[in-house]
């Protein structure tokens, strides 16, 4: 290590400059570390994309499962509490997963759907319409997000 002083012509002061001599092996170690860091960052990014893709595909599966149940209600004219409990937990868990992935708009729609399946009287029809939580709307948003992920790959 060398310590030099540089005079600043505009001021009556000196600035200390420390020059550190780094052996070539240390530079190689630093470069190797940076390369590993970049590789790990790339892997994390790919893992996040895979996790997001899986979550969005789960949303589409939930849409299908819910649509089948609604068709059964229309045919039979009766509701099944067990099935609605299952749908409530499915949508709620999807909301949590999407929130972790920072897919907040879709997460909110899933959370509202989960709450609605647990207590259909909780939200007013006006709120549900304004929140735009129809199965078609949720599916469309999930598909748009999936396309964005694929485009960035």
């Amino acid at each position: 290590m060398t310590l030099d002083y540089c005079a600043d012509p505009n001021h009556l002061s000196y600035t200390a400059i420390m020059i550190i001599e780094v052996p070539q092996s240390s530079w190689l170690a630093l470069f190797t570390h940076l390369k590993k860091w970049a590789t790990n960052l790339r892997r994390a990014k790919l893992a996040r994309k895979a996790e997001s893709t899986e979550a969005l595909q789960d949303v589409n599966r939930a849409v299908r499962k819910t649509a089948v149940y609604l068709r059964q209600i229309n045919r039979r004219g009766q509701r099944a509490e067990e099935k609605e409990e299952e749908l409530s937990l499915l949508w709620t868990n999807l909301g949590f997963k999407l929130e972790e992935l920072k897919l907040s708009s879709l997460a909110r729609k899933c959370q509202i759907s989960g709450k609605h399946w647990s207590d259909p009287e909780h939200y007013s029809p006006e709120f549900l319409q304004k929140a735009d939580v129809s199965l078609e709307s949720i599916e469309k948003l999930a598909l748009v997000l999936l396309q964005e992920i694929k485009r960035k790959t």
Side-chain angles (χ1 to χ4, degrees), residues 6-15:
C6 292
D8 184 347
N10 297 325
H11 296 85
L12 297 175
S13 64
Y14 289 91
T15 304

Side-chain angles (χ1 to χ4, degrees), residues 8 25 44 61 72 95 114-115 125 143:
D8 184 347
S25 61
R61 290 182 196 102
Q72 289 173 351
K115 180 68 174 175
L143 290 173

Side-chain angles (χ1 to χ4, degrees), residues 106 109 131-142:
L106 187 55
K109 290 177 184 293
D132 196 19
V133 291
S134 69
L135 293 178
E136 296 80 19
S137 172
I138 291 172
E139 181 178 36
K140 183 177 181 180
L141 181 55

Side-chain angles (χ1 to χ4, degrees), residues 18 20 22 24 28 30 37 40 60 73 77 125 129 134 137 153:
M18 201 172 0
I20 301 172
V22 179
Q24 187 175 6
L28 183 60
L30 179 63
W37 177 78
N40 288 337
N60 284 329
I73 291 175
Q129 185 175 6
S134 69
S137 172
T153 305

